[in-house]
Amino acid sequence: MAATIIEEQRQCHEELERLQDALVAEKLHKTSSHREHINSEHRAYFLYERLQQCTEKLINNYDDKDGIRKREIDQIGGPNEFQEFYNRLRKLKDYHKKHTNEIAAPMVMEFLELKNLRENPDENEEMVEFSDEEGYGKYLDLHECYEQFVNLKHATKIEYLTYLTSFDRLFEFPKDKKLNADYKKYLVSLQDYLVGFLHRINPLMNFDAETERILEDFEEKWATGTFPGWARDPTSAMKSGNVLDLTPFDSAEELASLGLDRLKTALQALNLKCGGTLEQRAIRLYSTKGKDINDLDPSAYAKNKKSRDEGQKQKEVAQLETFIYHYTELLSEQRTATRENVERRQARTADEVDDDDVDDVDDNDDDDEELVPYNPKNLPLGWDGKPIPYWLYKLHGLNLYFNCEICGNFKYRGPKAFQRHFAEWRHAHGMRCLGIPNTAHFANVTLIEDARALWEKIKAEKNKDKFQKETEEEFEDSHGNVVSRKVYNDLKRQGLL
């Protein structure tokens, strides 16, 4: 049954309140796995989008551009309000007589299902599509972009693992090779993938604001000529040496004495119009004396459509590159994880590849996160997330703990970690706080009192070796006798020299 405008507004207000509560509960809910976190983000994005639509609908109803809301208020508040009430009551009864078996589910049921989905997540639920290689948002899948890169005409043929490390080093690509269609197509493909991946793992990210910030930064660097890989080349005047020093010339007539050809080359060096008579060229060139090249009248520049088109193409390619730089920085964590995952998979033997199902690597990773390994002796975990063997634990002395008072009573596990910590930042910071240099003299010193006592001893030994003027400096009197400085000064004051 069609609801009235007032009822629609009431439903929208109720829905807004429930959406806000559900959104807050979703953001406060602590997730226990990577898959659950991704699904939670997408549920929050769905709630946010629905909240936006509901708000827009309310605004349109309150604007009442067609006047329906005003007419309805007049009807229920006019002189025949009781008649209007009974008319609506009769319509309601007639509707329910025709649809006796229709069950109206209250709005609260939908939000109870969302709550149940949040508190009891399904381990196999997929709210967004990822490839097997991406491991439900853990890793990047750049194989298609890699294929496009190695097929570029001037690209260096590298392996996929090397590509993961260097795909954002676009400034190393030759500048004169960037204006072809294949390179631009590769950049567009790489940007689309990075944007799509970001949207899948972080749907609540404000891409419009991020794009605006990236473009502002790009325009600033492009204007100053400091954008990586697109540094502004020296002007043709500096390259050719055709720039003309106007300091010795006091008028355009003196410039005219140089001749048509010399004035033409000087104007071309400044990218100015070089046509006209001898007097026109001299006046045009003399008008630039004492002025910055950017302050000249734009009409004085030569029209070079090809140069402008090339500059626009360069800017478009550089703009694609700046997006890739920023999006790669945002995905640095996933990029590192992808590189480690590829290295781990390449190190597998043939038997391990046969035993492990590569297609289910994301499910296995989720299971590893949720299952706590059996570790009654609290052994350290190895590279595979499992406790190391007990014999290896004893061999490295990991059952021994060494305390360092200088490091704030920090305990180091095993002699290897203890010896290594003397050259690390924590111990160096503690020594610096004590005012003592962290030199080899203080190796294996962990107590503050011992370090201070040793420092005083070292300073005393240095003072002993220090040259003492009063006792060690020698003087010779008039008779050739050699005495110390102190004795010499005493004899001099007594007048015995």
Side-chain angles (χ1 to χ4, degrees):
M1 180 179 178
T4 62
I5 297 296
I6 302 298
E7 177 61 18
E8 284 184 4
Q9 289 181 344
R10 188 205 62 78
Q11 290 179 354
C12 286
H13 281 293
E14 180 187 358
E15 187 176 359
L16 274 179
E17 292 182 2
R18 294 188 182 277
L19 287 171
Q20 291 172 358
D21 293 342
L23 187 58
V24 172
E26 191 69 54
K27 297 304 293 182
L28 293 178
H29 178 68
K30 295 186 181 300
T31 56
S32 58
S33 65
H34 177 77
R35 176 185 292 269
E36 187 179 344
H37 173 72
I38 295 292
N39 291 338
S40 176
E41 289 291 303
H42 279 272
R43 282 195 298 268
Y45 177 73
F46 164 74
L47 292 172
Y48 178 76
E49 287 291 314
R50 186 170 167 184
L51 191 145
Q52 290 284 84
Q53 296 173 2
C54 192
T55 304
E56 292 177 0
K57 185 177 180 180
L58 265 179
I59 292 174
N60 293 332
N61 284 343
Y62 278 113
D63 287 342
D64 194 25
K65 294 182 179 179
D66 50 6
I68 297 178
R69 180 174 179 271
K70 184 178 182 303
R71 287 196 300 270
E72 185 174 337
I73 293 176
D74 292 339
Q75 288 175 357
I76 63 177
N80 299 321
E81 62 273 14
F82 289 106
Q83 182 180 355
E84 181 67 22
F85 170 77
Y86 286 112
N87 288 337
R88 297 191 178 193
L89 180 61
R90 186 174 61 255
K91 291 180 181 178
L92 281 174
K93 290 180 178 181
D94 294 340
Y95 176 82
H96 287 290
K97 285 181 181 179
K98 294 180 181 178
H99 305 84
T100 54
N101 296 326
E102 184 175 347
I103 300 176
M107 189 182 299
V108 67
M109 297 302 297
E110 179 183 0
F111 289 92
L112 285 176
E113 292 178 2
L114 285 174
K115 181 181 178 181
N116 182 55
L117 192 62
R118 178 174 63 250
E119 296 178 351
N120 303 297
D122 184 4
E123 296 180 358
N124 298 320
E125 181 186 10
E126 293 186 1
M127 295 194 66
V128 60
E129 184 178 357
F130 286 99
S131 66
D132 295 336
E133 188 76 18
E134 290 171 335
Y136 211 76
K138 288 183 179 180
Y139 314 114
L140 299 172
D141 184 7
L142 294 173
H143 284 88
E144 292 186 5
C145 298
Y146 168 71
E147 292 294 335
Q148 291 184 355
F149 176 79
V150 295
N151 288 318
L152 292 177
K153 188 174 182 180
H154 301 283
T156 305
K157 302 301 181 287
I158 57 178
E159 295 182 352
Y160 181 64
L161 186 60
T162 307
Y163 174 76
L164 290 174
T165 308
S166 60
F167 72 86
D168 63 331
R169 302 180 67 86
L170 301 172
F171 51 85
E172 296 180 353
F173 207 82
K175 181 179 177 181
D176 55 338
K177 310 299 182 185
K178 291 184 177 183
L179 297 181
N180 59 72
D182 292 337
Y183 180 75
K184 186 175 181 181
K185 184 179 179 181
Y186 161 70
L187 292 182
V188 172
S189 177
L190 181 57
Q191 180 194 359
D192 290 344
Y193 175 78
L194 296 177
V195 172
F197 189 85
L198 265 174
H199 186 73
R200 284 180 290 165
I201 65 171
N202 190 8
L204 293 176
M205 178 179 175
N206 191 343
F207 282 91
D208 293 336
E210 189 69 21
T211 301
E212 185 178 351
R213 184 182 66 83
I214 294 173
L215 289 177
E216 288 179 0
D217 182 62
F218 167 72
E219 292 294 342
E220 180 180 353
K221 290 182 179 180
W222 184 262
T224 56
T226 58
F227 188 76
W230 297 91
R232 198 171 285 169
D233 292 332
T235 60
S236 58
M238 299 302 293
K239 288 180 181 178
S240 60
N242 289 330
V243 64
L244 183 62
D245 184 12
L246 302 179
T247 305
F249 301 94
D250 297 327
S251 63
E253 288 75 12
E254 295 182 11
L255 276 175
S257 62
L258 299 177
L260 283 169
D261 294 336
R262 184 65 185 96
L263 294 180
K264 181 178 180 180
T265 56
L267 289 169
Q268 287 177 341
L270 297 175
N271 198 25
L272 299 177
K273 295 179 180 178
C274 56
T277 62
L278 179 63
E279 292 75 12
Q280 291 175 342
R281 296 182 185 182
I283 293 172
R284 192 181 305 125
L285 182 60
Y286 188 75
S287 63
T288 64
K289 183 178 180 181
K291 295 183 179 179
D292 188 83
I293 192 68
N294 297 322
D295 297 334
L296 299 178
D297 186 3
S299 61
Y301 288 98
K303 295 181 179 179
N304 191 344
K305 186 176 185 302
K306 181 179 179 181
S307 177
R308 287 199 304 272
D309 293 343
E310 184 177 351
Q312 184 63 27
K313 290 180 180 178
Q314 290 179 353
K315 187 174 182 181
E316 291 176 358
V317 174
Q319 187 170 308
L320 290 173
E321 291 181 355
T322 193
F323 280 111
I324 293 173
Y325 290 146
H326 284 78
Y327 292 146
T328 305
E329 184 178 353
L330 294 175
L331 293 170
S332 58
E333 182 179 348
Q334 286 78 9
R335 181 186 183 183
T336 304
T338 304
R339 189 164 58 247
E340 294 174 354
N341 183 47
V342 172
E343 289 177 350
R344 184 170 64 251
R345 292 176 61 183
Q346 288 181 351
R348 290 179 177 179
T349 63
D351 295 337
E352 291 174 340
V353 173
D354 293 337
D355 294 339
D356 297 335
D357 188 0
V358 180
D359 294 336
D360 297 331
V361 64
D362 53 334
D363 296 335
N364 295 335
D365 290 342
D366 289 339
D367 294 339
D368 291 340
E369 288 180 358
E370 296 174 3
L371 295 177
V372 179
Y374 180 69
N375 191 10
K377 294 186 178 181
N378 195 24
L379 300 177
L381 302 180
W383 63 270
D384 55 354
K386 299 179 181 179
I388 64 174
Y390 188 69
W391 63 267
L392 186 63
Y393 170 77
K394 296 286 286 185
L395 177 66
H396 289 288
L398 298 179
N399 57 326
L400 303 176
Y401 289 89
F402 299 87
N403 186 49
C404 181
E405 186 182 5
I406 297 175
C407 297
N409 291 320
F410 192 84
K411 291 184 178 181
Y412 295 93
R413 192 173 192 175
K416 186 176 181 180
F418 175 70
Q419 291 296 332
R420 188 172 59 243
H421 99 278
F422 288 104
E424 294 177 347
W425 68 270
R426 192 189 303 275
H427 192 82
H429 176 71
M431 295 290 285
R432 188 163 54 250
C433 292
L434 295 175
I436 303 175
N438 188 25
T439 59
H441 301 88
F442 300 91
N444 297 321
V445 176
T446 59
L447 298 177
I448 295 177
E449 291 300 326
D450 293 347
R452 286 176 173 170
L454 180 57
W455 177 234
E456 294 297 331
K457 183 179 179 180
I458 292 174
K459 288 196 294 185
E461 291 178 354
K462 288 184 177 179
N463 290 333
K464 288 181 181 179
D465 297 336
K466 193 176 181 181
F467 179 73
Q468 304 291 336
K469 288 186 178 181
E470 294 294 330
T471 59
E472 297 182 7
E473 190 174 6
E474 296 179 341
F475 285 78
E476 184 178 355
D477 61 6
S478 58
H479 297 288
N481 299 318
V482 178
V483 294
S484 65
R485 180 188 182 95
K486 183 179 180 182
V487 174
Y488 179 83
N489 291 333
D490 291 342
L491 293 175
K492 186 177 181 181
R493 282 194 295 269
Q494 295 173 16
L496 298 178
L497 291 178

